[in-house]
Amino acid sequence: MKNLEPKAAFDFLQQNPGAILVDIRSEIEHYFVGHPPGAIHIAWSDGPNWEVDPQRFVPQVKSATGGEDRPVVLICRSGNRTVDAGRALEAAGFTQVYHVEHGFEGDLGENHHRNEINGWRHDGLPWEQS
């Protein structure tokens, strides 16, 4: 799995139109916090039980990408969940997996707030709310 800072991930997606951006956060995070335009939402874990289920996640990503050889860029809130999700994809045979370091909202700041230090939104990259 390759690590990309948010701006590098944005550039990669612009330069590789066949790549797919997968937002692995919960449905609530995706819709109410916002997401990069064009991101496909496939939750790594979601309510009500919040169970991680690679046996559900991997086939959904495979269906969205059409196979294991298409570049997949994963984004979550802070870049933590994408590591485990990326490993699951690689174990299933995906050959081009990338994860966005610091995620959509970034690391916690001094006052325990996000979007203050790093992350997709902090870096001024495009995003929208549904």
Side-chain angles (χ1 to χ4, degrees), residues 23-27 29-30 34-35 41 43 76-77 81 104:
D23 181 350
I24 70 163
R25 297 174 299 154
S26 70
E27 184 176 26
E29 290 172 295
H30 178 81
H35 54 271
H41 178 248
C76 66
R77 180 186 63 196
R81 286 175 274 185
F104 187 70

Side-chain angles (χ1 to χ4, degrees), residues 11-23:
D11 291 343
F12 177 83
L13 291 163
Q14 299 302 305
Q15 295 165 5
N16 296 278
I20 184 170
L21 177 61
V22 179
D23 181 350

Side-chain angles (χ1 to χ4, degrees), residues 3 6 14 47 51 54-55 61 78 81 83 95 100 111 121 128:
N3 303 323
Q14 299 302 305
E51 292 178 18
Q55 301 305 319
V61 174
S78 60
R81 286 175 274 185
V83 173
T95 59
V100 179
N111 294 314
R121 288 193 337 185
E128 61 190 16

